[in-house]
Amino acid sequence: LFHHISINRNRHIASISFFIIKNRGVTNLNLENLFKLQKQYESLENNEKMLQKYKDISLLKELKIKFDRNKKEFLDSKRKLEEERKKYLKINKKSEEIKSNIEKMEYTLYNDAGSDIKLIENLQERIRQEKIQLNEVENHIISFLENEEDMEKNILKLENKISEIREEFTRVKCDQKYKFDKITNEISNIKNNIKELEKYIDEDILREFYDRREYNKIVICELKDGVCDGCKIKVSYETKSKLNKNNITHCDNCGRILFSNKIKKDEHEK
């Protein structure tokens, strides 16, 4: 009879021991998955912030304004150059007319004036005036030719600048789109990970996690060498003992749920 009772008692103890070990593993697995869940939310928030950054088109707007400003300057410079060239054609035509007039008057002076003093003086004065006018016109021509070279250089410079801004705009736009799409895919993956992790966490623990997240985004913290990684304060011996027994344990100071990788390591060894 005593032997029979002893056997039954040992079986009962073994059954209880198995239950505790099993539940210890489940509890720690809950905490491990809960910790991973929190990390996924942290990653989700970081990626959503980055997504907002790549939604921002202020840089593209700035480049567009810069492009439009340089394009306007480029078109204005071209228009101004064309106007100056038209003026040049008129001045050049006038120069040719003055030269022709001088040649005619000089021919008359040396071939037809004879000894007519009054005609000679009149022709000489007119030739002098025409030459003064010719000199002014030729100075305008020289000035235009000098300015034309500078204007052409400036137009070429603006054209190159416009091309550079256009290339930069395209590069920034493509880069932003690539990063936006990449982060969007990453967010989608994180959300899928969150749904998957939630399947392996007890409802009560999961409910506490989301209730606490409304007030503080950091719900669960790792216990490292007896120190809560959230508030950086050492926890009591009783709290460490409770955690070692695989109970849901909260930090003495900040109240966050505690999780220890040491327990995970010990259970793997077991």
Side-chain angles (χ1 to χ4, degrees):
L1 177 63
F2 285 116
H3 180 69
H4 180 71
I5 291 169
S6 176
I7 290 170
N8 285 338
R9 182 173 176 275
N10 289 337
R11 282 176 180 171
H12 180 64
I13 291 168
S15 176
I16 291 170
S17 298
F18 173 75
F19 177 77
I20 291 170
I21 292 167
K22 182 181 178 183
N23 276 278
R24 182 178 297 168
V26 169
T27 303
N28 196 55
L29 184 62
N30 269 297
L31 293 177
E32 184 184 344
N33 287 330
L34 197 68
F35 191 69
K36 287 178 181 176
L37 182 64
Q38 182 171 271
K39 290 292 182 187
Q40 288 296 306
Y41 271 110
E42 287 174 13
S43 181
L44 179 64
E45 286 171 13
N46 290 333
N47 277 280
E48 283 176 341
K49 284 178 185 176
M50 289 175 68
L51 191 66
Q52 291 302 317
K53 177 185 172 183
Y54 294 116
K55 276 183 180 178
D56 182 14
I57 59 169
S58 57
L59 179 58
L60 291 174
K61 284 182 178 177
E62 187 182 327
L63 287 169
K64 181 68 169 59
I65 291 167
K66 195 175 176 182
F67 176 84
D68 290 342
R69 185 174 61 245
N70 281 275
K71 187 177 179 181
K72 183 179 181 302
E73 189 179 348
F74 169 75
L75 294 173
D76 288 345
S77 297
K78 279 192 78 175
R79 186 164 49 251
K80 188 177 178 182
L81 179 60
E82 291 302 318
E83 288 171 359
E84 290 296 316
R85 281 174 174 165
K86 286 176 183 177
K87 289 179 184 178
Y88 165 78
L89 292 173
K90 289 179 181 179
I91 292 170
N92 194 54
K93 185 179 179 182
K94 190 174 181 180
S95 171
E96 294 301 321
E97 288 173 356
I98 293 170
K99 286 178 183 177
S100 177
N101 288 338
I102 290 171
E103 285 178 6
K104 287 176 182 177
M105 285 188 287
E106 284 180 342
Y107 181 85
T108 303
L109 177 64
Y110 298 119
N111 295 286
D112 299 332
S115 58
D116 188 341
I117 301 300
K118 190 176 179 180
L119 179 59
I120 291 170
E121 288 176 352
N122 182 267
L123 286 169
Q124 285 176 337
E125 179 60 24
R126 286 171 61 193
I127 290 168
R128 188 182 70 82
Q129 292 295 331
E130 288 291 316
K131 284 185 177 180
I132 290 170
Q133 192 176 1
L134 178 63
N135 187 57
E136 290 175 358
V137 170
E138 287 181 339
N139 285 337
H140 280 301
I141 291 171
I142 292 166
S143 177
F144 166 78
L145 293 172
E146 289 173 349
N147 289 335
E148 183 187 37
E149 187 178 357
D150 292 336
M151 290 173 76
E152 284 176 340
K153 284 180 181 178
N154 185 53
I155 287 169
L156 182 61
K157 185 179 177 182
L158 285 167
E159 194 173 14
N160 291 334
K161 196 171 182 181
I162 288 167
S163 179
E164 287 172 7
I165 295 169
R166 186 187 289 112
E167 287 174 7
E168 187 181 0
F169 182 90
T170 304
R171 181 185 57 77
V172 169
K173 186 180 177 182
C174 292
D175 184 57
Q176 282 195 342
K177 186 181 183 306
Y178 169 76
K179 288 177 179 176
F180 181 85
D181 291 344
K182 186 179 178 183
I183 292 170
T184 302
N185 290 334
E186 182 65 20
I187 287 172
S188 177
N189 291 335
I190 291 168
K191 286 180 177 178
N192 289 334
N193 292 341
I194 287 170
K195 286 179 183 177
E196 194 64 26
L197 281 166
E198 285 175 340
K199 295 177 184 177
Y200 299 98
I201 302 171
D202 288 350
E203 287 183 12
D204 292 342
I205 298 174
L206 199 60
R207 192 180 302 111
E208 181 183 352
F209 175 79
Y210 283 116
D211 287 345
R212 285 173 171 267
R213 265 187 66 83
E214 290 183 13
Y215 306 99
N216 193 328
K217 299 297 181 185
I218 307 300
V219 176
I220 180 168
C221 292
E222 193 172 353
L223 188 71
K224 295 180 179 178
D225 298 323
V227 175
C228 170
D229 200 38
C231 61
K232 309 297 181 186
I233 293 177
K234 195 168 185 178
V235 301
S236 65
Y237 175 78
E238 289 78 8
T239 299
K240 283 194 287 183
S241 297
K242 192 177 178 183
L243 185 62
N244 288 334
K245 289 175 184 176
N246 220 357
N247 295 317
I248 299 296
T249 310
H250 298 85
C251 174
D252 304 323
N253 182 62
C254 65
R256 292 183 176 99
I257 300 170
L258 293 174
F259 164 71
S260 176
N261 266 319
K262 185 177 182 300
I263 296 172
K264 180 183 170 185
K265 182 182 177 184
D266 292 344
E267 285 182 7
H268 281 314
E269 288 173 356
K270 287 176 185 178

